[in-house]
């Protein structure tokens, strides 16, 4: 597999897609509809992801109806209003490093924009997995959750390769049961894991972001 070509200059390489799939919020095209076939193609890619015991159990609820999106948007904003006041909210974290704090402020402003405009994003995708594991021990809940998250990330990567952008969001889960009611998801037996607001991106010149050196988080042979 090649690693030396650029997005916009022929087929992107796997590394390029992996390095440039960002949380896209402000650069989602709110006016341009997204063809359902494009979403289906991304789900098809996502379905190649690994799952515990090869159980799959995935569901992707694709919401392009404007009334349904408005209902989800109302939930999302209600959760956002509470979250933004918490010390763990991106904009309230103070690291002591001015550059990092400035980044956190930018993330917060971008997330604020999304909260304000989420119902205008052409498609909401709610990935779900069969089963509930709210009170399960980690040896159950971790494999359950890990059986859907790789598929969600694959969906986002497949979108990036097709000119679609999104952001992994979990805000609406605060009111998951209400979202289940809106979408007709059987809450007792199916767990929602995210809400991906999906649209065509405005431009596609997304860049890798600064991260610490890999060596700083690798624990070789032991912690
Ligand atoms: C588990 C998880 C939950 C997230 N929840 C939200 C959310 O509710 N709203 C939002 O705007 N972004 C959310 N994000 C996106 C992060 O803010 C974003 O990934 C992070 O700022 C890093 O940006 P990058 O993905 O472009 O590197 C979430 C990301 C993850 C992995």
């Amino acid at each position: 597999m090649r690693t030396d070509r650029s997005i916009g200059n022929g087929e992107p390489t796997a590394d390029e897609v992996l390095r440039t799939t960002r949380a896209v919020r402000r650069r989602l095209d709110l006016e341009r509809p997204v063809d359902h076939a494009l979403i289906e193609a991304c789900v098809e890619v996502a379905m190649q992801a690994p799952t515990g015991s090869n159980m799959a159990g995935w569901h992707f609820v694709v919401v392009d109806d404007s009334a349904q999106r408005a209902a989800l948007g109302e939930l999302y904003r209600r959760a956002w209003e509470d979250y933004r006041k918490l010390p763990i909210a991106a904009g309230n974290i103070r690291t002591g490093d001015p550059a990092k704090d400035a980044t956190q402020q930018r993330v917060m402003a971008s997330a604020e924009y999304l909260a304000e405009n989420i119902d205008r994003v052409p498609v909401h995708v709610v990935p779900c997995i069969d089963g509930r594991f709210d009170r399960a021990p980690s040896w159950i809940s971790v494999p359950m959750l890990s059986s859907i998250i790789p598929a969600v990330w694959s969906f986002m990567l497949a979108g990036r390769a097709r000119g679609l952008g999104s952001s992994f969001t979990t805000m609406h889960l605060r009111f998951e049961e209400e979202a289940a009611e809106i979408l007709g998801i059987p809450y007792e037996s199916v767990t929602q894991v995210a809400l991906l607001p999906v649209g065509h991106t405005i431009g596609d010149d997304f860049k890798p972001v600064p991260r610490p050196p890999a060596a700083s988080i690798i624990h070789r042979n032991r912690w």
Side-chain angles (χ1 to χ4, degrees), residues 135-192:
R135 286 174 195 81
S138 67
W139 65 272
I140 302 277
S141 61
V142 170
M144 291 291 291
L145 202 54
S146 307
S147 289
I148 176 77
I149 300 302
V152 177
W153 183 230
S154 292
F155 176 91
M156 290 176 67
L157 296 169
R160 165 78 176 125
R162 288 163 177 76
L164 298 178
S166 186
S167 171
F168 197 108
T169 83
T170 50
M171 203 61 59
H172 87 289
L173 297 177
R174 172 93 188 275
F175 303 114
E176 183 191 353
E177 206 162 350
E178 285 181 57
E181 205 159 298
I182 292 166
L183 299 173
I185 297 169
Y187 175 81
E188 308 69 32
S189 56
V190 172
T191 301
Q192 300 167 51

Side-chain angles (χ1 to χ4, degrees), residues 21-25 76 80 83 90 104 107 110-112 114-115 149 153 156 167-172 193 195 207 209 211:
T21 302
R22 302 260 65 85
V24 183
R25 305 182 186 92
Y76 188 98
W80 171 258
Y83 165 83
Q104 293 301 88
V107 169
S110 164
E112 186 96 47
L114 177 65
I149 300 302
W153 183 230
M156 290 176 67
S167 171
F168 197 108
T169 83
T170 50
M171 203 61 59
H172 87 289
V193 300
L195 189 165
K207 301 275 187 310
V209 292
R211 299 279 197 234

Side-chain angles (χ1 to χ4, degrees), residues 4-201:
D4 60 347
R5 276 182 291 180
S6 298
I7 285 182
N9 180 24
E11 285 288 297
T13 65
D15 273 12
E16 280 171 334
V17 173
L18 287 162
R19 287 177 188 275
T20 65
T21 302
R22 302 260 65 85
V24 183
R25 305 182 186 92
R26 291 182 195 273
R27 289 178 62 185
L28 292 174
D29 191 333
L30 303 179
E31 308 304 327
R32 183 172 169 193
V34 175
D35 191 342
H36 183 77
L38 211 45
I39 300 286
E40 203 166 318
C42 296
V43 173
E44 222 170 88
V45 172
M47 290 174 74
Q48 295 296 327
T51 53
S53 305
N54 196 27
M55 284 289 284
W58 306 301
H59 302 270
F60 286 78
V61 182
V62 179
V63 184
D64 52 14
D65 177 79
S66 60
Q68 293 285 77
R69 279 183 287 134
L72 289 178
E74 187 276 321
L75 277 190
Y76 188 98
R77 271 189 295 277
R78 209 171 348 126
W80 171 258
E81 281 308 312
D82 285 346
Y83 165 83
R84 68 206 295 279
K85 297 175 201 134
L86 299 177
I88 53 157
N92 300 336
I93 295 170
R94 295 289 175 273
T95 63
D97 174 343
K100 269 193 197 157
D101 289 356
T103 302
Q104 293 301 88
Q105 292 301 328
R106 278 197 299 277
V107 169
M108 193 72 178
S110 164
E112 186 96 47
Y113 170 87
L114 177 65
E116 280 165 13
N117 291 285
I118 193 158
D119 25 357
R120 298 175 61 207
V121 180
V123 181
H124 295 178
V125 176
V126 179
C128 308
I129 186 139
D130 286 335
R132 288 217 70 86
F133 37 92
D134 312 65
R135 286 174 195 81
S138 67
W139 65 272
I140 302 277
S141 61
V142 170
M144 291 291 291
L145 202 54
S146 307
S147 289
I148 176 77
I149 300 302
V152 177
W153 183 230
S154 292
F155 176 91
M156 290 176 67
L157 296 169
R160 165 78 176 125
R162 288 163 177 76
L164 298 178
S166 186
S167 171
F168 197 108
T169 83
T170 50
M171 203 61 59
H172 87 289
L173 297 177
R174 172 93 188 275
F175 303 114
E176 183 191 353
E177 206 162 350
E178 285 181 57
E181 205 159 298
I182 292 166
L183 299 173
I185 297 169
Y187 175 81
E188 308 69 32
S189 56
V190 172
T191 301
Q192 300 167 51
V193 300
L195 189 165
L196 311 177
V198 182
H200 287 277
T201 59

